[in-house]
Amino acid sequence: MKLKCILLIDNSEIDNFVNATVVRNSGLVEEIVTYQSAAEGLDYLQSLITAQVPVPGMILLDLGMQLMDGFEFLDAFLKLPFGAAQEVKIVVVTSSIDDRDRLRAKSYPCVVKVLEKPLRADRFRSLFTLLQAV
């Protein structure tokens, strides 16, 4: 079963490119949307909600971004006017080696997994299989 849409949020153009390539090559996702800013990603989600259009089924989110980091995105995401925490599965993809960041990310009810950068094809396929079973 394919995921209709995935949202990638990472301030690094290279990381977004790598993640999009891994996702595209998996053949498991129909549409990939990317943003280099957490605020732009939130605006995108808000526009979908306002238009009453389905939101992406999964978000790959970086933690370390300027202006609005991944944690600020998660705080704002949980305040969106829809059951986002139940509808959208968020996977944090981070280069942080700080266990506190990983534990903090996992404390959000909408975060289903924390993965290390770079995203690898085998990890994405395993993640996708795991999430489809839930």
Side-chain angles (χ1 to χ4, degrees), residues 82-116:
F82 71 114
Q86 291 119 24
E87 294 180 34
V88 181
K89 295 169 174 74
I90 297 181
V91 177
V92 170
V93 183
T94 183
S95 57
S96 173
I97 58 171
D98 189 339
D99 286 337
R100 292 173 295 186
D101 285 343
R102 293 170 184 275
L103 289 172
R104 183 175 170 201
K106 288 178 184 178
S107 74
Y108 287 85
C110 52
V111 173
V112 295
K113 190 80 172 165
V114 177
L115 297 176
E116 291 178 15

Side-chain angles (χ1 to χ4, degrees), residues 18-19 21-23 25-26 60 93 115-128:
V18 169
N19 292 343
T21 300
V22 168
V23 171
N25 290 343
S26 75
L60 297 184
V93 183
L115 297 176
E116 291 178 15
K117 285 185 183 181
L119 182 64
R120 295 187 345 219
D122 60 331
R123 287 186 187 155
F124 182 73
R125 282 192 182 93
S126 295
L127 170 71
F128 191 88

